[in-house]
Amino acid sequence: METTELKEQLKRQIIQFLNLTDLTPADISDNEPLFGDGLGLDSIDSLELIVLLKKEYNIDIKDPREGRKVLVDVATIADYIQANTVK
């Protein structure tokens, strides 16, 4: 899957999984931080994102430190999926 297509898919999935019904994929920038001053997600949302990665991409993040490195923004998650998915 192309990187651009993957990023758009991730944005749709984040909106769906986290029930962010007031947002559209266009509202989320590829490099916008997902937590804190960016999209404003919290620790519960990070767990939901980890479940999303496991369910949709068969990627299992067990180490919280790894999760903090991966769940930075949509672009970082997309890069991680591409690097850790069997082609």
Side-chain angles (χ1 to χ4, degrees):
M1 178 180 300
E2 292 283 328
T3 303
T4 304
E5 183 182 341
L6 177 58
K7 288 176 186 175
E8 287 303 309
Q9 178 177 305
L10 273 169
K11 291 175 188 180
R12 288 190 303 273
Q13 290 171 326
I14 288 169
I15 290 167
Q16 178 185 356
F17 268 70
L18 301 181
N19 200 27
L20 302 173
T21 55
D22 55 332
L23 294 179
T24 67
D27 295 329
I28 304 171
S29 167
D30 292 349
N31 298 313
E32 176 181 11
L34 296 176
F35 299 90
D37 291 335
L39 200 54
L41 301 183
D42 61 24
S43 59
I44 301 298
D45 295 323
S46 69
L47 296 174
E48 291 290 330
L49 291 175
I50 289 170
V51 170
L52 164 80
L53 291 174
K54 177 64 175 168
K55 183 177 177 186
E56 299 294 324
Y57 301 98
N58 200 29
I59 292 175
D60 203 3
I61 298 176
K62 293 182 178 163
D63 183 349
R65 290 175 300 221
E66 182 181 9
R68 281 194 285 279
K69 292 178 190 171
V70 174
L71 303 175
V72 175
D73 55 35
V74 171
T76 305
I77 296 171
D79 291 343
Y80 188 82
I81 290 169
Q82 289 182 319
N84 291 281
T85 303
V86 178
K87 303 211 176 357

